[in-house]
Amino acid sequence: METLTSPRQQSSGPITRGCQWFKALPNQFCDKTMEIVRKTKKLGQDDPRRIVHSLKVGLALTLVSLFYYFKPLYDGFGDSAMWAVLTVVVVLEFSVGATLGKGFNRMLATFVAGGLGVGAHCLATLAGRKGEPILIATFVFIIAVIMTFMRFFPKMKARYDYGLLIFILTFCLVSVSGYRDDQVLKMAHERFSTILVGSCASLIVCICVCPVWIGEDLHNSVATNMEKLGNFFQAFGDEYFEVSAEHEQSSENNKSYLQGYRSVLTSKSSEETMANFARWEPGHGPFGYRHPWKMYLKIGNLTRDCAYKVETLNNYLNCKIQTPVEIRGKIQGQCKRVSLECSRALKEMASTFRKMVRTRSAIVHIDSSKEAAEELKTLLRTNLWEEADLLEIVPAASVASLLLEIIECIEKISEAVNELAKAAAFRNGNATVLPEQPDSIHQGEVQNDSNTAMPVPHVAIIVAE
């Protein structure tokens, strides 16, 4: 059926459409402006430290700009004062560790490369006017090749990559510029002095005005990742086994718990970056000098290993071939108990880790999950599904097998957390054991293999601060 159009619409030409576009332009402009305002507001509300950092950059640049505004300061540095402004722009980062790392790299590289540049200029002048450019070009080639190749070493690239770049830049500027300017020593001195001023201004503002400690962010990030996995296991048992109307109503609430683990899978790069910058930071708060930041990476790797198994486990929730409910019900009690105890263990570790308290309270829940795992293994060895179709058995058996493997992953995480707690001298906590009701999302009772309601005893470890 053809769409009928009015004669006016058919006769509308480019001029008419252009007029309509111009009429709609103010409304579109207002909509875009409001959208930008909403995004800006959300960006600041998500992390108010971003606003503070922007103000800190403005403050540091204003302070360094005084070298241009006041004649006594300008006479001391001249046009080289612009290097101080450029240094603040490139050195001042969001966190203290990143700013310290960049500032140290820039100052050390400028000092060493400036000295070598002056030395290369002095040696080149001994060769006469004709041999000087040849020697300078040779020195530049050798330094560029060596420094560039050193950037491929993983440890050098992780901590000193920026310094190596500044080293090449400074050496080339000082040595090459000295061919036309005889006051090469003065030029190197002014460059180093202004960079020193810019770096110090950046460090003072970054540390003294609302400092952001990247080590603390790393600590909280590792704890949050463990907590996200705990939330998944808290919701998984109810999501996989429950089919009641109450479960269907609360399924939307479970989705946030079941999808939170995805951010753990992609956290490796950010954790390595944070650990690298945290090593530059001085002792602050509970994080002392030479805090074992590398051990955080070990915990992060173990947590991601667990998250990969969680991803496989999550795939069985939406698998096309599902085990019938009556067959799943035969292992429901043991699987839900394992899932709940894993959740409690991870949340307990996350809580005590975040508070930097050294306890072994999570071991209680890990032991409980092992007991449930032994019951599940015994049940799987029996002729439980001898009359069922093999294709229907595989999903439920795979879920049970993954839960058994996850217990081992959580035990390794617990061992790594205890090692870090001992190395970082976490404070000891007094543990009090109190009875607690099951904390599944629906506060339901775990079903045993005979489908009778049987509450499973649990304990909660309350750590005294």
Side-chain angles (χ1 to χ4, degrees):
M1 181 178 180
E2 296 182 358
T3 304
L4 298 177
T5 58
S6 63
R8 183 177 181 181
Q9 290 176 334
Q10 291 177 351
S11 62
S12 62
I15 297 178
T16 305
R17 290 194 296 269
C19 293
Q20 293 174 350
W21 182 82
F22 273 109
K23 288 180 180 179
L25 188 60
N27 293 332
Q28 293 178 357
F29 177 78
C30 292
D31 293 340
K32 286 290 184 182
T33 303
M34 293 304 298
E35 183 182 356
I36 294 173
V37 171
R38 284 193 296 268
K39 289 182 178 180
T40 304
K41 182 179 179 181
K42 184 179 183 301
L43 193 65
Q45 289 177 340
D46 290 343
D47 192 352
R49 298 179 301 176
R50 295 167 179 165
I51 301 175
V52 177
H53 174 68
S54 302
L55 296 174
K56 287 160 64 175
V57 173
L59 175 62
L61 286 173
T62 302
L63 293 175
V64 174
S65 299
L66 296 178
F67 285 92
Y68 259 76
Y69 300 150
F70 291 95
K71 186 171 177 58
L73 296 176
Y74 180 80
D75 291 340
F77 293 97
D79 293 334
S80 298
M82 184 55 66
W83 285 107
V85 178
L86 295 176
T87 299
V88 171
V89 173
V90 298
V91 166
L92 186 53
E93 293 286 343
F94 183 73
S95 65
V96 174
T99 303
L100 275 170
K102 272 197 167 183
F104 175 80
N105 273 274
R106 190 171 181 86
M107 288 188 291
L108 181 62
T110 302
F111 177 75
V112 177
L116 286 178
V118 173
H121 172 74
C122 295
L123 287 176
T125 54
L126 298 177
R129 200 62 183 172
K130 292 184 178 179
E132 182 178 357
I134 298 175
L135 280 180
I136 290 178
T138 303
F139 290 144
V140 169
F141 176 79
I142 294 173
I143 291 296
V145 169
I146 294 175
M147 293 297 109
T148 303
F149 185 77
M150 288 178 66
R151 295 180 60 201
F152 290 105
F153 288 92
K155 290 185 178 180
M156 296 295 292
K157 188 172 185 62
R159 300 200 69 184
Y160 306 108
D161 185 65
Y162 180 71
L164 294 174
L165 283 175
I166 296 300
F167 187 96
I168 297 173
L169 175 64
T170 304
F171 180 83
C172 292
L173 285 176
V174 173
S175 60
V176 174
S177 300
Y179 181 72
R180 298 293 182 184
D181 189 356
D182 294 333
Q183 295 181 335
V184 63
L185 186 60
K186 180 183 177 183
M187 178 179 60
H189 175 264
E190 289 180 349
R191 176 172 167 79
F192 176 73
S193 300
T194 51
I195 287 178
L196 181 64
V197 169
S199 299
C200 290
S202 301
L203 293 175
I204 291 172
V205 172
C206 187
I207 295 175
C208 297
V209 181
C210 301
V212 176
W213 304 103
I214 196 70
E216 185 176 347
D217 288 351
L218 173 61
H219 181 86
N220 292 329
S221 174
V222 172
T224 301
N225 287 343
M226 289 190 286
E227 194 172 25
K228 288 178 179 178
L229 296 183
N231 290 335
F232 175 88
F233 290 117
Q234 181 182 350
F236 176 77
D238 293 328
E239 186 72 16
Y240 187 72
F241 290 103
E242 294 289 344
V243 292
S244 62
E246 180 184 354
H247 166 70
E248 292 177 359
Q249 293 176 359
S250 61
S251 180
E252 292 298 326
N253 297 331
N254 290 356
K255 287 183 180 179
S256 60
Y257 287 105
L258 293 170
Q259 301 301 323
Y261 76 93
R262 295 185 183 275
S263 61
V264 182
L265 299 173
T266 57
S267 61
K268 182 177 181 179
S269 177
S270 61
E271 286 181 358
E272 289 179 347
T273 301
M274 287 190 288
N276 180 39
F277 289 145
R279 288 157 63 186
W280 289 103
E281 293 180 345
H284 58 279
F287 305 99
Y289 177 67
R290 297 186 67 83
H291 192 76
W293 298 113
K294 285 186 178 180
M295 301 184 73
Y296 284 81
L297 299 180
K298 180 181 178 182
I299 298 175
N301 290 333
L302 292 173
T303 305
R304 276 186 294 277
D305 290 341
C306 186
Y308 291 131
K309 290 181 173 60
V310 164
E311 185 177 31
T312 306
L313 203 60
N314 184 60
N315 291 335
Y316 284 103
L317 292 174
N318 304 314
C319 183
K320 293 182 179 180
I321 302 176
Q322 289 286 355
T323 304
V325 177
E326 58 274 9
I327 297 179
R328 274 184 283 173
K330 297 178 180 180
I331 60 170
Q332 175 178 342
Q334 289 74 17
C335 287
K336 288 185 68 174
R337 186 182 172 192
V338 170
S339 182
L340 286 174
E341 293 298 340
C342 289
S343 171
R344 291 185 177 121
L346 286 166
K347 288 187 174 182
E348 186 68 29
M349 280 190 286
S351 177
T352 55
F353 183 83
R354 195 186 298 274
K355 298 175 183 177
M356 303 188 74
V357 177
R358 183 167 59 182
T359 66
R360 299 185 67 84
S361 54
I363 297 297
V364 177
H365 300 298
I366 294 176
D367 291 340
S368 297
S369 65
K370 286 182 178 180
E371 293 176 4
E374 290 300 325
E375 296 176 7
L376 181 59
K377 288 179 182 178
T378 304
L379 193 61
L380 292 175
R381 293 191 187 102
T382 62
N383 297 328
L384 187 64
W385 300 324
E386 58 181 0
E387 298 180 358
D389 186 6
L390 181 60
L391 289 177
E392 295 178 343
I393 296 173
V394 170
S398 300
V399 168
S401 177
L402 281 170
L403 288 174
L404 297 178
E405 293 181 12
I406 286 169
I407 295 175
E408 298 179 3
C409 288
I410 294 176
E411 191 172 14
K412 291 179 181 178
I413 295 174
S414 177
E415 292 174 358
V417 169
N418 290 329
E419 290 176 5
L420 174 58
K422 189 179 297 182
F426 285 7
R427 64 182 185 276
N428 292 319
N430 298 322
T432 305
V433 181
L434 294 175
E436 186 190 78
Q437 296 297 327
D439 60 349
S440 65
I441 288 183
H442 306 298
Q443 294 295 329
E445 293 178 334
V446 179
Q447 303 292 326
N448 61 2
D449 55 349
S450 60
N451 293 329
T452 59
M454 182 183 70
V456 180
H458 295 286
V459 294
I461 306 300
I462 299 178
V463 180
E465 300 241 0

